[in-house]
Amino acid sequence: MSVHSEIKRVTTETLRKMKFDKEKITMLTAYDFTTAKMVDAGGIDAVLIGDSAANVMAGFETTLPITLDQMIYHTQSVVRGIERALIVADLPFGTYQSNPDRALESAVRMMKEGGAHAVKIEGGKEISKSIKKIINAGIPVMGHLGLTPQSIYQFGTYKVRAKDEEEAEKLISDAQLLEDLGCFSVVLEKIPADLAKKVSESITIPTIGIGAGPDCDGQVLVYHDMVGMNKGFSPKFLRRYLDLYTEITGAVAQYVKDVKSSDFPNEKESY
């Protein structure tokens, strides 16, 4: 039985207590009202309006093209469907890296217009001034280290990060810096499991893993991947709990057949 399952509204403090109590944190993405209602009803602890919306909702190759206005729209849609979960929204590429004032302006819009409870931004020391500016304004920040998709053209690949000692040491240092700056949590994406374990034990804020092994304080997956709506995307870290691609295309094919054959609508389905 979950220690915190009866909480009416999950907060950043709830996540800290879950780490302290050694209760795993669950997180999924959502980008629309209907999906948000379903994942919230399923008991998820936190919902991420990820800039992965650029991929799964808009069909872009990377997360870079999505705008702040578009992210605010997705966040507004999700907020209307959530009653319990903590709502975290990504600040998209270009809205916080350039300068701290721009970062704060972006975060304020996401909170005021979007209705998010917190924002997530990618990077460590390089964006520390922006993180500090946002947190000093009273806005909760979730960090993101390891594979940071907004930097994909710098990395040149989606392969596992921090496998060499130098990058691993920087990641540990960045995680500790994020805690010192006041971040309430940090996502660790696609890094070696033993490194994720080391990071999780070295900081007091919760770590949320995606492709970072079982020793993070919680896990996050993209909803469309987890329920099998995406065909052909099969990273090692992904567990599919449904095969909705097959289910939905099968249902559509049956609908087409029924309409073509005049089986639908029948007498009971007509006024």
Side-chain angles (χ1 to χ4, degrees):
M1 180 66 179
S2 168
V3 176
H4 301 282
S5 60
E6 301 305 315
I7 288 177
K8 290 185 178 180
R9 172 65 82 179
V10 177
T11 67
T12 57
E13 183 60 26
T14 309
L15 300 196
R16 292 191 187 95
K17 288 179 179 177
M18 290 174 76
K19 173 166 180 144
F20 181 80
D21 293 335
K22 299 189 184 321
E23 178 183 342
K24 295 289 189 179
I25 298 163
T26 60
M27 191 176 201
L28 282 171
T29 63
Y31 315 101
D32 63 87
F33 171 78
T34 304
T35 301
K37 282 186 71 72
M38 290 189 290
V39 298
D40 196 50
I44 209 72
D45 296 313
V47 169
L48 173 66
I49 301 95
D51 56 4
S52 48
N55 310 119
V56 298
M57 300 298 288
F60 288 112
E61 184 180 357
T62 72
T63 62
L64 273 61
I66 199 163
T67 67
L68 181 60
D69 284 341
Q70 289 168 332
M71 285 298 301
I72 288 172
Y73 164 78
H74 283 294
T75 302
Q76 290 170 337
S77 301
V78 168
V79 166
R80 297 185 194 108
I82 298 292
E83 294 183 9
R84 177 181 178 273
L86 177 72
I87 303 167
V88 184
D90 270 333
L91 291 186
F93 177 72
T95 63
Y96 60 90
Q97 294 98 334
S98 56
N99 67 71
D101 291 334
R102 174 83 187 275
L104 177 58
E105 181 183 336
S106 302
V108 167
R109 285 196 63 200
M110 185 61 76
M111 303 290 281
K112 284 178 68 71
E113 299 174 41
H117 303 150
V119 298
K120 181 172 77 64
I121 58 181
E122 298 180 5
K125 184 178 179 181
E126 306 81 12
I127 58 163
S128 60
K129 290 182 180 178
S130 291
I131 293 172
K132 186 175 182 179
K133 186 95 171 179
I134 295 170
I135 291 174
N136 283 348
I139 298 172
V141 173
M142 175 180 280
H144 185 149
L145 299 172
L147 176 64
T148 47
Q150 291 180 12
S151 303
I152 188 57
Y153 289 124
Q154 179 183 358
F155 292 151
T157 175
Y158 284 104
K159 291 182 179 179
V160 176
R161 304 300 310 173
K163 294 179 77 172
D164 65 78
E165 186 176 350
E166 183 179 354
E167 190 176 349
E169 288 179 356
K170 183 183 185 307
L171 192 143
I172 293 171
S173 176
D174 277 341
Q176 292 169 342
L177 174 62
L178 292 179
E179 177 178 18
D180 291 342
L181 288 171
C183 290
F184 72 91
S185 180
V186 56
V187 169
L188 301 176
E189 181 168 358
K190 222 168 180 183
I191 65 172
D194 58 348
L195 176 60
K197 183 176 189 293
K198 188 174 182 179
V199 172
S200 300
E201 292 173 348
S202 71
I203 58 178
T204 62
I205 59 174
T207 58
I208 310 294
I210 176 166
D215 294 307
C216 293
D217 301 303
Q219 299 291 329
V220 61
L221 284 175
V222 171
Y223 168 83
H224 289 66
D225 301 337
M226 189 273 287
V227 297
M229 293 177 76
N230 287 334
K231 194 79 169 176
F233 180 69
S234 300
K236 182 179 181 180
F237 64 78
L238 174 61
R239 181 181 296 183
R240 284 197 176 88
Y241 287 81
L242 289 171
D243 182 12
L244 281 190
Y245 185 92
T246 300
E247 293 286 329
I248 292 172
T249 54
V252 171
Q254 186 62 50
Y255 168 73
V256 171
K257 179 181 178 183
D258 291 350
V259 172
K260 298 286 188 182
S261 66
S262 296
D263 179 73
F264 175 82
N266 61 28
E267 187 176 337
K268 289 183 179 180
E269 293 158 336
S270 302
Y271 294 99

